Each structure stands twice: as C-alpha cells, then as structure tokens.
Amino acid sequence: MTNNTINLSPSDLAFVPFVSVDNMMRNVRSVGVETFMRGLAGYIEEDFLRWESFDKKPRIPAHAPEGVVELMPTSDGKTFGFKYVNGHPGNMREGLQTVTGFGVLSDLATGYPVLFTEMTILTALRTAANSALAAKYLAPEGSTTMAVIGNGAQSDFQCLAFKDMLGITEIRAYDIDHGASIRLARNLASSGLNVTICKTPEDAIEGAEIITTVTADKRYATILTDNMVGSGVHINAIGGDCPGKTELHKDILLRSDIFVEFPEQTRIEGELQQLDADHPVTELWQVYAGNAEGRTGKDQITLFDSVGFAIEDFAALRYVHDMLPQTGHFEKLDLLADPDDPRDLYGMVLRSGANGDNQAA
Amino acid sequence: MTNNTINLSPSDLAFVPFVSVDNMMRNVRSVGVETFMRGLAGYIEEDFLRWESFDKKPRIPAHAPEGVVELMPTSDGKTFGFKYVNGHPGNMREGLQTVTGFGVLSDLATGYPVLFTEMTILTALRTAANSALAAKYLAPEGSTTMAVIGNGAQSDFQCLAFKDMLGITEIRAYDIDHGASIRLARNLASSGLNVTICKTPEDAIEGAEIITTVTADKRYATILTDNMVGSGVHINAIGGDCPGKTELHKDILLRSDIFVEFPEQTRIEGELQQLDADHPVTELWQVYAGNAEGRTGKDQITLFDSVGFAIEDFAALRYVHDMLPQTGHFEKLDLLADPDDPRDLYGMVLRSGANGDNQAA
C-alpha cells in the first residue's frame, strides 16, 4: 500500500486474513459439509498430481509423556504452508480435544502470510476427504456398505465423505463405547445414510466392502485380526498414525497391497511400522497419476495406511484461502508490523505512543 | 471449563491469548523499550543456563529465489515454542519488512497454545537483548563507545540495549546509505546517547571498544577487513546469518576467539561458514554457566557470531506470556474448537447453524 500520509493505524499490509473456529464453521455451512469435503479432495488430488514439485519433510515433533505437538511444513517453491497439530489421547478426560490444529499459508516471494486459520475442524474434514479420495481409486466398484470401527470425532466426517464421493449408503458402526456409536447415529440421522450400531467388530464388518478403522488409543492395539478380514475389501486405516500406535494385526498387512502417502513418514508412524523397512508399498500419487495400479482384482485386499501428510494440509489451506473472497467469512489480524519506513521499526514503536493510549487494550 | 448447558458461543477453552502488533507496542511502552530488553535478556540468560534441558534443532527452511521462510521450534519438555520468520532482502523495495515473524507458545501437557504473538518487533528486541547479554560477558570492561555499521531496523535496538546493559554512551554510526544513519540519529536524539554519523567504516570504528555489524545484504560482503580491526575489541556480528551471507573478512575470524549460540547452526549460517568445520568455538551458554571463559585479556578480540537461535525466541515468548496478566494488552483469539463433547466435532458444526447466522461475519 502506498501511503504518503502519516498513519498510525495498521495498513492493509499489516493484516493477515484469519479464519476463526466460528468462521470456519460458517465457511463449511456456506457450501455444505459434503461439498466442502469434495472440494478439499479436488485440491488434494491436484497437489498429489504435482507431487514432485513439493519439498517433502517428515513432520517435526516435540514429545511429552502426555502426547505430541508437531509442525508439518511443506512448500511448492512458490507457496509455503505449515500446520501445527497436537495429539493428546488423555485430553478427552479433561474436556479438551485430542487433536487440535491451526495453519498458515504464505507467499514465498515476500515471506508474508496470506492465511492464518484454525485447523481442528479443517483437519477433520481433510482427513475424511483424503480417505474418500484414496478409496475412489482403491475400493471395490459399486461399494455401498462401510464398517466404521471407532466412532469418535473423525467418524462422522468419514461417513459423509464416503457417502458423497463413493456412494456409500450403509454404515455399520462399532465402538467399545456404545455411547459413541449412538452419538454418531444421531448426528447422521438426517444425512441419508442408514446407520446400524453393531455389538462387535465382527458384526460391523459383515458384508462391508470398505472397512474404516479410526480408533484413538495411543498404543499397539489389534482392532482387526487376520481371520476377520475376507478377500476383496478395502481397508481405510486412519487410527494408526504415530510410533507405537497401530490398529491392525500384522498378518492382515502381509495379505494386503499397501498404499501410502509418503513412505518415509508412514514407515515410522503408520501400520507399516510393524513390517520390515523394505516392505513394498505403493505411493498414492503414483496411482492418481496413472503410474501405478490401484485395485487390480476382485479378491485383492487394498489397504490405505493413512497417517496424514503435510501436502494434504497445504491443499486444505489453499482451498480455504481460495474460497474466502466469495464467502467473506474471515477477520483481519494485525499480525505484521508495517512501519511507514520499513527500516524504521523502532520509530514505529516510538511514535505509536503519540496517540496517548497507554491504557489496556 | 465445565459447562452443562448448551452454549453456542466459544468457551474459554477455545481462546488463545493473541498479541497483535499494536498490543506488542503497548506492552513495550508499558515498561519502556530498555527495561523490556533487559527483561528479555534475563529470560534468555535463564534459558541458556538450562541449555541441556532443551530439544535443539537447526531451523527448518523453505527457500525461494527472493528469500527464505523458516520455522524455529524448541521445547524444554514441558513447554513448546516456535517462531515463523522470513528473510527477504528485496522486500524493502516493495515497502515490506525484510524480516517479519510471529510465534506460538504451547503447554506440552495438553498441546494447547497458550500464546500467539507477533514477533517482528519482538525479534528485533530479543536480538538486541541477546547481543547485549553476550557483550556483558565478552566486551572490554568499562566500554563506552560502540561502532554500529549498518543503520537499518535492528540498529536502534542494538544501541539502546548496549546503553542500558553495558553503559555505552557514544555511538559511531555508518551506513552506505547516509539517510539510514540520519534516521538512526534522529530516533536516538532523546535517548541520552551521543550519536556521531561517520563517513567511512574506518572512521566509525575509531576508538570503539565494541563493533556491531548489522548489514542486510544477502551475499558475501566484507564490511570489515583485517587491517581495520585492532586488538582488544569485541565484535558483535549480527548480519551474517544465513548461507552465503557474511560480513567479516576471514582473517578477522582467525584472529578472534569466536563465541556462538548453537555451533551446528552457526557453522551453516554464521560468519563461521567461512572457516573449517572443526574450527574451535565456545558456546555462549558454557560461558554464562561458568564452564568456559569469556574475555580473558586486554588484547583479545572476542567475536559473537550471532545468527539467532530458537531458545532466544522461546525465552522471548515466555517473557511476553508472563507479562500479559499485568499489562492486559492482548486479545482473545477463537482458535481452538471446543465442542461440548470433545468427540462431537461434527455435532458442533451441525448445530452451529442453529443460530441462523448464515451470513458473512
């Protein structure tokens, strides 16, 4: 902004568009949850198709006994994005979210952020969109029934994304906490999905072409054992997503064709941590690009070992950034110092008091 | 917050204290720039004294032809902090800041952020506080004169910190752009410092016990050549802080005892990149802890090869976080989703529309 008059108010250069939780919900509602996720899937696919143009790094973690905080940066050379995300399984006991997040998108030509947004809701949406996108390439054609094992915060979004993008009509829900399944069924009551609450995991996977596992315990668990999984299904494994946390018995993995986002990260964090470091896997972007095969036969078990990768968040940030001019659901955050003379940062501090406003904001 | 009634407004759990640029200036003015920097230096020294309790990583960069964006995370096992910072030398031509930044402090026990703040101004303050802290251990006793070569945005803060913490009374200022020196002198007019604007670098270092170099070009430059630097001085080298950017002739380095923050980072980013990978250096925290010697004699040239390290930002975030209850200069940002039932994120989105507010915020 060229401005030759002395102006003690922050200029437009100082402001970064900010999407609060409240505004994220407005943005989602403005197009609808399912359309929003379909839009996200489109941006994710677009970015996976230019996989090689991204700077890819494993996430950067800070560990504590209670959980982990991670930064997930990536860049395509023109735009930089990162997500801050935590994983604290015990948080629910305190009335806090297990996973919260926020993210930033920046213009690499100037280094200035162009979007700061909540990503707790956005991550839930992009995770489901990403699962459904992978399933479009991997699930049996004409799938109508999905088992959902683990009925926590992520499960609703999975159901809705698979309904919209795969044509799923029947949900078979199981959780060790029956109340969680009731909550899920209630939220989906007017979605058009038929939800059957099941008493056992075995019951849940009965007749399902797609099995989604999305439990939250931070430990090695065996949600699915080998004899439970028949041929021809697609397993959408969301819950095994950090070291020491898996959901599937190793023998299922050995019978499956395994598809992953970024092998370097999945071998550390995913179900894959149970297998040898050189166990063959297929990168999803290669499938999307037509360089590798997805589902090849009726009896094949396909497994998406999902851990969540930075490029998915980058795509989600892009999607939200691009929709804001239409929806207007954002605020302007006074985040960047913008002195009249860029060399005169101290002068800005010095003269800011000239308003005489030395009181609390 | 326990709340058994249905409440569609964000609860206190959803809010993160946010310090805007405007509020950062209010916080600084509430105690004064010099006191603020002295406070920062105290927190930095405190954190350097518990150096071994920190998880230390080199910064994580994303490069573009125009500059770099970096994330600088660190953690002491209980608290996590990171800074986002860019470096774009050409930004000034566009009326933008060369360096801007923001940062986050989080509680590792829950993963929830406890502070989100602008760090453009804060970084300028902590950089000068950090320089003055090092100089307290390294500069000749009784120093009164400082040469300041490079009179951009950082130079004001350097002068004020050295005045307050070292007792500097005379500033000898030089910049290739005479206007920059005039700007500096004008800003310091009522500071109590005597500022002499010099026509050459040689002139500026005349009689100075401390030489501060703080230029901004992103290239190998030689601000100081070997014959310019006499014995017994302390060199506070700020400007050489990324690969390919240095300010001092190699021969000066070879005559100096070199002090650094984190050798692994300084060898890549600092003046040190000009020397062999095993050139001996002293870590500043060892000097502060009394494990290594600082200045040992009158003729010694001490050199602080400053690049800026994550622990300094961590300390700065702690300092701001701790002052907010007193000053009240912050806002509350609706950054964290806080559904009544943490498992029910979709239910929160679903029911948020019950207000009927489907219009732009």
Side-chain angles (χ1 to χ4, degrees):
Chain A
M1 208 174 80
T2 45
N3 189 343
N4 293 317
T5 62
I6 290 171
N7 183 355
L8 294 174
S9 309
S11 78
D12 271 1
L13 284 178
F15 287 117
V16 175
F18 166 57
V19 179
S20 66
V21 171
D22 192 48
N23 271 325
M24 183 59 76
M25 295 194 289
R26 286 172 200 260
N27 281 304
V28 172
R29 290 200 315 271
S30 72
V31 295
V33 175
E34 292 170 35
T35 305
F36 193 98
M37 288 194 286
R38 206 180 329 127
L40 284 174
Y43 272 60
I44 293 169
E45 188 169 17
E46 205 173 283
D47 283 345
F48 269 55
L49 285 173
R50 56 193 188 105
W51 187 261
E52 282 162 310
S53 66
F54 281 94
D55 179 24
K56 291 169 287 291
K57 305 183 161 69
R59 50 182 106 195
I60 300 126
H63 294 283
E66 299 89 346
V68 65
V69 166
E70 297 170 324
L71 298 179
M72 301 169 69
T74 193
S75 159
D76 64 4
K78 294 191 169 166
T79 305
F80 170 78
F82 79 91
K83 179 166 82 171
Y84 168 109
V85 63
N86 77 300
H88 286 71
N91 267 7
M92 218 176 63
R93 289 191 300 273
E94 321 283 328
L96 303 173
Q97 285 290 115
T98 303
V99 175
T100 69
F102 59 87
V104 172
L105 200 68
S106 299
D107 176 8
L108 264 181
T110 62
Y112 272 43
V114 295
L115 173 68
F116 174 61
T117 178
E118 87 82 35
M119 285 190 84
T120 306
I121 295 168
L122 188 58
T123 297
L125 292 160
R126 78 90 167 116
T127 300
N130 192 51
S131 285
L133 174 62
K136 269 176 57 181
Y137 289 86
L138 301 177
E141 210 159 323
S143 295
T144 55
T145 303
M146 178 162 83
V148 180
I149 299 177
N151 299 156
Q154 171 59 205
S155 61
D156 315 48
F157 300 104
Q158 290 283 334
C159 294
L160 292 168
F162 277 75
K163 175 196 156 226
D164 184 68
M165 291 171 61
L166 274 284
I168 291 294
T169 56
E170 309 292 322
I171 299 293
R172 299 184 65 79
Y174 171 77
D175 198 294
I176 46 168
D177 174 4
H178 187 66
S181 303
I182 291 175
R183 184 203 62 77
L184 175 63
R186 194 174 51 221
N187 278 351
L188 297 179
S190 58
S191 69
L193 284 163
N194 296 314
V195 181
T196 307
I197 299 179
C198 302
K199 291 215 165 68
T200 64
E202 287 82 355
D203 185 16
I205 66 179
E206 183 72 37
E209 296 101 346
I210 300 173
I211 302 172
T212 290
T213 57
V214 57
T215 64
D217 256 337
K218 191 183 175 167
R219 52 171 181 151
Y220 292 109
T222 306
I223 310 302
L224 293 182
T225 57
D226 189 37
N227 60 348
M228 288 165 66
V229 177
S231 65
V233 301
H234 172 62
I235 303 173
N236 172 39
I238 309 297
D241 62 358
C242 64
K245 178 163 179 270
T246 59
E247 295 181 329
L248 308 182
H249 192 282
K250 184 179 166 181
D251 289 345
I252 299 175
L253 306 184
L254 295 173
R255 287 165 58 209
S256 305
D257 288 319
I258 302 176
F259 297 84
V260 303
E261 293 142 316
F262 184 50
E264 288 84 330
Q265 185 177 310
T266 312
R267 291 190 193 279
I268 297 168
E269 301 173 0
E271 299 297 331
L272 215 49
Q273 63 190 285
Q274 304 182 63
L275 303 187
D276 294 338
D278 59 354
H279 188 88
V281 297
T282 304
E283 294 181 70
L284 273 176
W285 77 270
Q286 297 275 21
V287 178
Y288 300 169
N291 304 330
E293 290 188 299
R295 175 163 289 274
T296 51
K298 268 185 68 163
D299 292 339
Q300 182 192 23
I301 301 175
T302 51
L303 167 63
F304 173 29
D305 186 3
S306 166
V307 295
F309 186 54
I311 293 177
E312 294 144 27
D313 298 309
F314 184 90
L317 288 165
R318 283 204 307 119
Y319 178 70
V320 172
H321 176 262
D322 289 356
M323 84 186 299
L324 292 183
Q326 281 85 54
T327 70
H329 295 310
F330 65 98
E331 299 157 57
K332 289 175 168 184
L333 216 58
D334 169 29
L335 185 60
L336 302 174
D338 179 36
D340 293 326
D341 173 356
R343 288 174 313 194
D344 198 10
L345 204 53
Y346 176 64
M348 184 175 77
V349 178
L350 198 64
R351 288 183 286 275
S352 66
N355 285 332
D357 58 348
N358 230 327
Q359 303 308 309
Chain B
M1 208 174 78
T2 46
N3 188 343
N4 292 317
T5 62
I6 290 171
N7 183 353
L8 294 175
S9 308
S11 79
D12 271 3
L13 284 177
F15 287 116
V16 175
F18 167 58
V19 180
S20 65
V21 171
D22 191 50
N23 270 325
M24 183 59 77
M25 294 193 289
R26 287 172 199 260
N27 281 305
V28 172
R29 290 199 316 269
S30 71
V31 296
V33 175
E34 292 170 35
T35 305
F36 193 98
M37 287 195 286
R38 205 180 329 124
L40 283 174
Y43 272 61
I44 294 170
E45 187 168 20
E46 206 173 282
D47 283 344
F48 270 55
L49 286 173
R50 57 191 188 106
W51 187 259
E52 281 161 312
S53 65
F54 280 94
D55 178 24
K56 292 170 286 291
K57 304 181 162 68
R59 51 181 105 194
I60 300 127
H63 295 282
E66 299 88 349
V68 66
V69 166
E70 297 170 324
L71 299 179
M72 302 170 69
T74 192
S75 160
D76 65 3
K78 294 190 171 168
T79 304
F80 169 79
F82 79 90
K83 180 167 79 169
Y84 168 109
V85 63
N86 77 299
H88 286 71
N91 267 6
M92 217 176 65
R93 288 191 300 273
E94 321 282 329
L96 301 174
Q97 285 290 114
T98 304
V99 176
T100 70
F102 60 87
V104 171
L105 202 67
S106 299
D107 177 8
L108 263 183
T110 63
Y112 272 42
V114 296
L115 173 67
F116 175 62
T117 179
E118 87 82 36
M119 286 189 83
T120 307
I121 295 168
L122 187 58
T123 297
L125 292 159
R126 78 90 166 117
T127 300
N130 192 52
S131 284
L133 173 63
K136 269 177 57 181
Y137 289 87
L138 301 177
E141 209 156 328
S143 295
T144 55
T145 302
M146 178 161 83
V148 180
I149 299 176
N151 300 157
Q154 172 60 206
S155 62
D156 315 47
F157 300 103
Q158 290 282 336
C159 293
L160 293 169
F162 277 76
K163 174 196 159 226
D164 184 70
M165 291 172 60
L166 274 286
I168 291 296
T169 56
E170 309 292 323
I171 298 294
R172 299 184 66 79
Y174 171 77
D175 198 292
I176 46 169
D177 173 5
H178 188 67
S181 303
I182 291 175
R183 184 203 61 78
L184 175 64
R186 192 173 52 220
N187 278 350
L188 297 179
S190 59
S191 68
L193 284 163
N194 298 314
V195 181
T196 307
I197 299 179
C198 301
K199 290 216 168 65
T200 64
E202 287 80 356
D203 184 16
I205 65 179
E206 183 72 38
E209 297 100 347
I210 300 173
I211 303 172
T212 290
T213 56
V214 57
T215 63
D217 254 337
K218 190 183 177 171
R219 52 170 183 152
Y220 293 107
T222 306
I223 311 302
L224 293 183
T225 56
D226 190 35
N227 61 348
M228 289 165 65
V229 176
S231 65
V233 302
H234 172 62
I235 303 173
N236 173 38
I238 308 298
D241 62 358
C242 63
K245 178 164 180 268
T246 60
E247 295 181 329
L248 308 183
H249 193 280
K250 184 179 167 178
D251 289 346
I252 299 175
L253 305 184
L254 295 173
R255 286 164 59 208
S256 304
D257 288 317
I258 302 175
F259 298 83
V260 302
E261 294 142 315
F262 182 51
E264 287 86 330
Q265 185 177 309
T266 313
R267 290 191 193 279
I268 298 169
E269 300 173 1
E271 298 298 331
L272 214 48
Q273 63 191 286
Q274 304 182 65
L275 301 188
D276 294 338
D278 60 352
H279 190 88
V281 298
T282 305
E283 293 181 69
L284 273 176
W285 77 271
Q286 298 276 19
V287 178
Y288 301 167
N291 303 331
E293 290 189 302
R295 174 162 291 271
T296 51
K298 269 185 66 163
D299 292 339
Q300 182 191 24
I301 301 174
T302 52
L303 167 64
F304 172 30
D305 187 2
S306 167
V307 295
F309 186 54
I311 292 177
E312 293 144 26
D313 299 308
F314 184 91
L317 288 166
R318 285 203 308 116
Y319 178 70
V320 171
H321 176 263
D322 290 356
M323 84 186 301
L324 292 184
Q326 281 85 57
T327 69
H329 295 311
F330 65 99
E331 299 158 55
K332 288 175 169 184
L333 215 56
D334 169 29
L335 185 60
L336 303 174
D338 180 36
D340 295 327
D341 172 356
R343 287 175 313 194
D344 198 10
L345 204 54
Y346 175 63
M348 186 176 76
V349 177
L350 197 64
R351 287 184 286 276
S352 67
N355 285 332
D357 57 349
N358 229 327
Q359 302 308 309

